[in-house]
Amino acid sequence: MRTRLDRPIVVGLDGSTDSARALRYGVQEARRAGCGLWLVNVIHEIVPVAPMWPLLTSDTLVDVGHELLADARLVVEELSHSTVPVEVETALGPAVQILATASERARMVVLGHRSAGFVERLFTGSTTFGVIARSACPVVSVPHDWDENRAEQRVVAAVDGSSVSSTVLAYAFAAASERSARLEVVHCWRLDPFYSYLVDEWSVEQEWDAQTHGTIRGFIDEWSGRYPTVPVETRLEYAPVADTLVRCSKDADLLVMGRHGHGGLGLRMAMGAPGSVTRAVLQHARCPLAVIPVGGPAEPDDDLVAATSHAGGAAEVDAPESR
């Protein structure tokens, strides 16, 4: 896959209302960042054919994809007043693999997300989660209740106290600055129920609180000097991680978290199975969720792009979801 655009925003389109929502979000971000859009329609090579569709072929689907992208281009031109350059591509293959490959040349990947039921979350594959697990750049999932005309001027960054926190905050500070928003830095954890029977939970909470303040403050100070106009609030909560982040996502413009499954403040921080927090927040977040791959320290040369300048070599921390 190739594009003439320099670090565009990739939007995955499939003709659904979810992808239409992702397209509108992508236009907003492209206008804000002054970059182009790369619209990708993916057609799986294995096409299920029902008896009522005897003439359905991959060529037919490619033609449909071309029409879809042509319509999407018109939408971008209308929403951006023809100020956002657009490239379109119809690709044949697995959606996760195609979009992950496109992410290697992108500023971010934007996908619309449809919330699933409990059983589906446990046992069914998800394109959005699959792309998040493999992407070389940030992936933004846009929930069904996102309102493009509503701005809260509030960005939430979820940090776990590990070195991942620096990259998450680099992205979050830049996003807050672009939006003239305040930044709310959230760190939360809860002792695994198994250990709560073995230790004094109150003492553990006090020890965690004392240790965490300095650690999180250090990460914030690392980036606040670069963005002195961004007001910052820190919230530390001894509470279930996923539930707290979902609650914080209400009335926010963006929730930022790292693709990381383990905390860095000691062995007591049990985040559950790798990817479990990301999966839960992805399903229930009330605002767009940006998941940042982490492969090394950020170089503060180009705002949001800098936060993931080393992402191409990122190790997989959240376990990929099988398709």
Side-chain angles (χ1 to χ4, degrees), residues 55-282:
L55 301 179
L56 184 63
T57 65
S58 60
D59 289 340
T60 302
L61 292 178
V62 168
D63 291 339
V64 172
H66 288 161
E67 294 178 6
L68 168 67
L69 292 174
D71 291 341
R73 185 192 288 273
L74 293 176
V75 171
V76 174
E77 292 175 355
E78 179 181 355
L79 293 177
S80 70
H81 306 290
S82 299
T83 60
V84 173
V86 183
E87 286 192 11
V88 299
E89 180 167 358
T90 298
L92 198 63
V96 170
Q97 179 181 330
I98 295 295
L99 293 171
T101 300
S103 75
E104 296 171 3
R105 300 176 178 87
R107 178 186 181 90
M108 72 173 69
V109 176
V110 180
L111 301 171
H113 183 71
R114 183 186 301 108
S115 296
F118 178 74
V119 175
E120 185 179 351
R121 290 200 305 272
L122 288 178
F123 299 110
T124 304
S126 163
T127 297
T128 302
F129 193 84
V131 175
I132 285 174
R134 296 163 174 81
S135 179
C137 72
V139 178
V140 178
S141 171
V142 186
H144 72 279
D145 53 357
W146 171 69
D147 184 350
E148 61 188 303
N149 299 312
R150 181 177 179 179
E152 303 291 345
Q153 275 73 54
R154 175 173 169 261
V155 172
V156 178
V159 297
D160 66 359
S162 72
S163 58
V164 173
S165 302
S166 178
T167 306
V168 170
L169 288 175
Y171 189 97
F173 264 104
S177 179
E178 287 187 346
R179 291 165 170 77
S180 299
R182 72 183 190 276
L183 176 61
E184 184 174 310
V185 180
V186 178
H187 174 78
C188 52
W189 78 290
R190 190 67 176 266
L191 191 67
D192 188 284
F194 174 79
Y195 297 104
S196 63
Y197 293 102
L198 306 176
V199 299
D200 181 353
E201 190 170 2
W202 184 86
S203 299
V204 170
E205 180 181 352
Q206 297 304 305
E207 178 186 345
W208 162 80
D209 188 71
Q211 179 183 358
T212 301
H213 271 287
T215 302
I216 302 302
R217 187 71 253 173
F219 286 119
I220 293 173
D221 290 344
E222 179 183 359
W223 290 100
S224 59
R226 179 171 170 80
Y227 300 96
T229 61
V230 175
V232 183
E233 175 186 346
T234 305
R235 175 185 295 185
L236 305 179
E237 292 194 25
Y238 185 71
V241 180
D243 291 346
T244 302
L245 296 181
V246 170
R247 173 164 44 84
C248 290
S249 71
K250 184 179 180 182
D251 299 326
D253 297 311
L254 184 68
L255 170 61
V256 184
M257 61 189 300
R259 190 178 67 194
H260 196 291
H262 306 284
L265 293 174
L267 296 178
R268 292 195 184 99
M269 177 177 274
M271 299 273 287
S276 61
V277 172
T278 304
R279 187 189 305 268
V281 177
L282 174 67

